[in-house]
Amino acid sequence: MKVRPTFTTAVLALLLTTATTNAADPKPGETPPLAEYFRVESAKIEAKPLLGIDSADAWKAKRPELKRQLAEMLGLDPGPERVPLDAQVTGTVEAPDFVIEKILFRSAPGLVVTANLYRPKVVDKDKKLPAVLYVCGHGREEIDGLILGNKAHYKHHAAWYAANGYVCLVLDTLELGEVPGLHHGTFRYGMWWWLSRGYSPAGVEAWNGMRGIDYLVSRPEVDATKIGVTGRSGGGATSWWVAAMDDRVAAAIPVAGITDLHNHVVDGMVEEHCDCMYPVNTYRWDFDTLAALVAPRPLLVENTDADPMFPEDGVRRIYAQLQRVYGWYGAADKLGLVVGKGKHVDTEELRHPSFAFMNKWLKGTDAKVEEPPRPIDQKDLRVIAEDSALGPRAANALIQETFIKVPTPPNMPPTRNAWPAQRAQWLEEIRAKVFGGWPAEGELSTPEPQPVIDRTTKGIRMRSYDYESQPGVTLRFWWIEPAGRAAGPRNMAIRVLDEAAWEGEWSRIIAALEGTGPVSDLNTGAWVTGVLPLRLSRDRALVLLAPRGVGPSAWPETKDSNIRRRFYLLGQTLDGMRVLDVRRGIAAMRRVVEVPQGANLALIGEGQAAPLAMWAAVFEPSVSDLVLESPPTSVREGPAFLNLERLMTQAQALTLVHPREVVIRRSTPDAWRWAARQAETLGAPVGSWPSFAPR
């Protein structure tokens, strides 16, 4: 079972270390787990550049909805409250030809942003200046334990702008700012519930950038019609979010901050990046759609030719789609590409063209770019005093808990007759937002199970079968029944296995029945209570089903995080696809034995497998009974299902199984009280649904 840690002060200290990949690189000649699956799934999305939009009229008509979808995937629809900025200038630094103001503002309730504002030393009060929002990458700066923020790392960019007649606001990021939060929830700490919440720190960075623009336009010296945004690496990604979301951006220069889905998922670039690089991909976009939302405003895409994090081939594929969209607007002259030499580096070869681009589009000049040294003491850039109590009062460290608003319980229909329509409506939304990564109905053929082993041990016949759940995903189930039975069973129990169940008793029972393990391993509690009774009841059968990543299809623990993260880049979660595996397993099982009409089919899940069984039952009307053993009652405790908490809780979703029989073992009735009350509204006798059993 995977550990799901919570965020603590100790974790906060850990995140301040330099980010490194936790990838377990495949050995030469080794095929990574699920490689073919990820190739096929990525190819489906890649096959429709720009989501299949192929004309100027179609793009312009759909752009408002695409922008709304991006806002939703960033957690900004609905977004946090746009509270007053309450901006403070906590000090100034005098340089020879510019002034640095140390800025602190609120971007959302409790969420603070530290920043430096660079401005020319002499400003004509009658003349407005162009402004640049500089959003930072992962450049950690700390001296003697004092966090200076990554704004200190990128000071040379802002210094050039201020010395050349711009106002430049440099924002600290959530993770590496003076009041730190967290970027690495799924990357490093197993916080898969972020996906269920629909949360990504990319949304926080986008929001802070938009609020940074709010601050810039509030400044009397800033021309609100001439605002640019730029940044490199993580700041390059944030530049895309801000420019796509905020039409006040007049020019954008994302540097080394984007590549396409093929690079991330198939080529493994996801293993290099933290969570701030990705929205929650509910609508299964490739990154070309995001990039194209900047059109037709001036855009310069910059990268290097040997960047191991943003490969040039993916950047060029995105740029080709940008050329199409800018062509639709008749704005090809506003689009540019610079590919410099080197790896993931910050060089003059990239900086000088970017400075010239801002000059052209924000100042209307082609002045020669020069960049003499402008020394700045990093310690002078600290915004908050060392003894400030602001840090503990700010929500930065726990913003993942509050940034996405969890809805109140959904309203049940007022009458029993209205329930079918309400249920259908909820299922449509859940199918689109939670399980949108499933294949379309009819896309997959009925699985053809392939026999593996047929063996009888101690009066119990065990047959195992392999079946293809999806291309690149071959799984196994085990059919267990009394030996010598001629007719199909009247009662079938399908037990969904998770990692804990497999690693416990069931793998040993299976091995003993297959003849690969000692028969003595049948002396287990699961054998006595789950298998042995079959010999005494000729009308029963047991099916054990192992979804992807469990049992024969398991992958090493060292690869687990990066495999799971590939799923959510595809608009899926591993657990959501495991529900599909259960459904496909049921279909495969029905090809093995003809199930008598009216037979009972019970689906059983324990622990982390319980929600898998529950959701499979929701979508499989042939399931007559559901048994949940020690089920998690929240997504925080259990499997991750994309966006589920934005719609309803795990316990509330149980209502979707009604009126079929549900038995819950080893769980408190209080956790399921809302679903029980709704069942009573729908006609169930008080206290009868779900039923609770002690074991």
Side-chain angles (χ1 to χ4, degrees):
M1 182 182 299
K2 307 299 184 296
V3 177
R4 291 170 172 81
T6 56
F7 187 68
T8 65
T9 303
V11 170
L12 180 58
L14 285 173
L15 68 85
L16 296 177
T17 59
T18 302
T20 58
T21 179
N22 59 349
D25 295 329
K27 299 175 182 177
E30 178 186 10
T31 301
L34 293 179
E36 177 63 11
Y37 171 77
F38 289 128
R39 187 193 64 77
V40 170
E41 287 295 296
S42 296
K44 290 180 185 178
I45 298 174
E46 296 162 24
K48 294 183 178 181
L50 300 170
L51 302 177
I53 301 171
D54 59 2
S55 70
D57 289 344
W59 175 263
K60 293 173 183 178
K62 291 182 179 180
R63 186 181 183 275
E65 171 59 14
L66 293 176
K67 185 177 174 183
R68 189 209 65 78
Q69 289 180 8
L70 177 60
E72 180 185 334
M73 293 191 291
L74 288 168
L76 303 180
D77 183 32
E81 181 184 356
R82 212 175 195 112
V83 297
L85 291 170
D86 292 339
Q88 306 171 40
V89 178
T90 66
T92 59
V93 179
E94 296 279 343
D97 48 359
F98 56 87
V99 175
I100 306 170
E101 296 182 13
K102 298 187 279 190
I103 307 294
L104 180 72
F105 66 84
R106 288 195 307 159
S107 65
L111 183 63
V112 299
V113 181
T114 46
N116 292 149
L117 183 127
Y118 293 66
R119 59 175 172 80
K121 181 167 285 189
V122 178
V123 178
D124 184 347
K125 293 183 179 180
D126 296 325
K127 184 180 180 181
K128 298 281 189 177
L129 299 178
V132 170
L133 176 73
Y134 195 94
V135 283
C136 294
H138 297 88
R140 172 173 170 258
E141 294 294 341
E142 180 180 334
I143 296 178
D144 297 329
L146 185 65
I147 302 170
L148 304 178
N150 44 353
K151 63 185 178 302
H153 186 82
Y154 293 95
K155 61 187 184 300
H156 54 295
H157 292 263
W160 185 91
Y161 282 113
N164 287 274
Y166 294 82
V167 176
C168 183
L169 182 66
V170 189
L171 300 184
D172 274 335
T173 60
L174 174 68
E175 175 159 301
L176 296 178
E178 295 182 32
V179 188
L182 185 61
H183 275 180
H184 288 76
T186 71
F187 179 94
R188 187 173 291 143
Y189 301 119
M191 295 180 173
W192 304 110
W193 64 268
W194 282 16
L195 308 182
S196 302
R197 181 67 60 89
Y199 172 78
S200 166
V204 178
E205 299 301 348
W207 180 252
N208 286 351
M210 294 163 69
R211 298 310 317 267
I213 294 176
D214 288 347
Y215 178 70
L216 281 173
V217 300
S218 76
R219 299 278 303 207
E221 68 268 51
V222 169
D223 184 342
T225 67
K226 295 181 179 180
I227 293 178
V229 63
T230 186
R232 57 167 283 101
S233 191
T238 302
S239 298
W240 287 110
W241 315 136
V242 176
M245 287 299 307
D246 199 321
D247 290 335
R248 294 175 296 180
V249 173
I253 309 174
V255 183
I258 199 170
T259 189
D260 64 1
L261 204 60
H262 186 94
N263 276 168
H264 283 296
V265 175
V266 179
D267 298 334
M269 295 305 106
V270 65
E271 301 183 10
E272 303 291 335
H273 294 296
C274 79
D275 300 352
C276 75
M277 304 299 292
Y278 306 117
V280 176
N281 198 8
T282 306
Y283 294 98
R284 290 169 61 80
W285 288 13
D286 205 338
F287 287 86
D288 58 345
T289 303
L290 157 72
L293 287 174
V294 181
R297 292 164 289 165
L299 172 65
L300 179 64
V301 180
E302 293 196 327
N303 214 76
T304 44
D305 61 356
D307 193 323
M309 303 173 74
F310 302 98
E312 182 184 352
D313 61 344
V315 175
R316 289 191 178 275
R317 286 190 292 266
I318 288 176
Y319 188 75
Q321 299 306 319
L322 284 170
Q323 289 178 303
R324 291 179 63 201
V325 178
Y326 273 78
W328 292 340
Y329 282 99
D333 61 316
K334 296 180 180 179
L335 177 66
L337 173 67
V338 172
V339 178
K341 297 293 184 183
K343 296 187 177 181
H344 192 64
V345 288
D346 180 4
T347 65
E348 288 186 1
E349 191 179 8
L350 297 179
R351 289 198 302 273
H352 287 194
S354 70
F355 296 151
F357 191 83
M358 288 296 190
N359 275 345
K360 177 179 180 179
W361 294 105
L362 297 186
K363 296 180 71 176
T365 178
D366 59 358
K368 182 180 179 181
V369 172
E370 296 179 337
E371 193 178 7
R374 295 183 174 91
I376 302 169
D377 190 335
Q378 289 186 326
K379 291 184 290 186
D380 292 338
L381 301 179
R382 170 87 181 180
V383 172
I384 303 172
E386 292 184 51
D387 59 353
S388 172
L390 176 65
R393 294 203 311 269
N396 295 29
L398 296 173
I399 190 61
Q400 62 270 14
E401 304 281 356
T402 60
F403 195 75
I404 304 293
K405 302 301 181 187
V406 178
T408 56
N411 293 322
M412 289 293 292
T415 66
R416 195 182 312 177
N417 291 338
W419 168 240
Q422 177 66 80
R423 183 180 185 275
Q425 178 184 329
W426 284 348
L427 283 184
E428 182 179 3
E429 188 171 19
I430 289 167
R431 180 64 175 81
K433 300 292 181 68
V434 180
F435 300 110
W438 284 357
E441 293 298 325
E443 182 178 326
L444 296 174
S445 60
T446 302
E448 293 286 348
Q450 302 299 314
V452 180
I453 294 176
D454 187 342
R455 191 169 184 273
T456 298
T457 304
K458 290 192 171 185
I460 297 293
R461 184 186 183 190
M462 190 281 301
R463 287 176 283 170
S464 59
Y465 297 85
D466 286 348
Y467 68 98
E468 185 180 78
S469 181
Q470 291 179 267
V473 182
T474 298
L475 303 175
R476 181 169 296 180
F477 70 87
W478 297 264
W479 180 283
I480 304 172
E481 62 183 341
R485 181 170 58 199
R490 300 290 306 176
N491 296 282
M492 290 168 292
I494 300 178
R495 178 173 285 274
V496 182
L497 303 179
D498 66 357
E499 294 98 324
W502 177 265
E503 293 166 3
E505 296 181 339
W506 286 109
S507 62
R508 289 183 287 140
I509 291 173
I510 289 170
L513 292 175
E514 288 182 336
T516 58
V519 176
S520 59
D521 278 350
L522 297 180
N523 298 323
T524 67
W527 171 264
V528 172
T529 62
V531 180
L532 196 58
L534 296 178
R535 294 198 326 203
L536 305 176
S537 178
R538 309 296 292 176
D539 66 344
R540 296 182 182 274
L542 171 67
V543 176
L544 302 177
L545 194 154
R548 68 189 77 184
V550 176
S553 66
W555 45 76
E557 178 70 18
T558 54
K559 299 180 183 291
D560 190 67
S561 175
N562 286 317
I563 289 173
R564 289 175 180 266
R565 297 179 80 231
R566 281 173 167 85
F567 278 104
Y568 85 74
L569 263 64
L570 293 167
Q572 306 169 345
T573 66
L574 169 59
D575 297 309
M577 302 314 290
R578 283 172 166 171
V579 175
L580 179 68
D581 294 339
V582 176
R583 298 184 62 196
R584 297 281 288 167
I586 293 173
M589 176 208 71
R590 289 181 172 275
R591 300 297 294 265
V592 173
V593 174
E594 184 175 348
V595 179
Q597 188 173 2
N600 294 321
L601 195 161
L603 206 50
I604 305 170
E606 180 177 5
Q608 298 295 302
L612 308 183
M614 185 197 79
W615 282 109
V618 167
F619 287 96
E620 289 295 329
S622 64
V623 174
S624 57
D625 300 85
L626 177 64
V627 180
L628 306 179
E629 300 176 344
S630 302
T633 57
S634 72
V635 294
R636 185 75 60 103
E637 302 169 1
F641 299 111
L642 206 68
N643 297 311
L644 177 59
E645 266 198 323
R646 299 181 77 168
L647 304 175
M648 60 182 60
T649 69
Q650 196 93 268
Q652 290 163 1
L654 183 68
T655 309
L656 296 168
V657 182
H658 186 271
R660 289 168 288 172
E661 173 122 8
V662 175
V663 177
I664 299 179
R665 296 172 177 160
R666 300 186 298 278
S667 182
T668 171
D670 287 344
W672 310 91
R673 196 166 302 283
W674 187 89
R677 284 200 299 265
Q678 309 319 313
E680 292 165 10
T681 301
L682 297 173
V686 175
S688 68
W689 193 98
S691 60
F692 292 87
R695 68 171 187 84

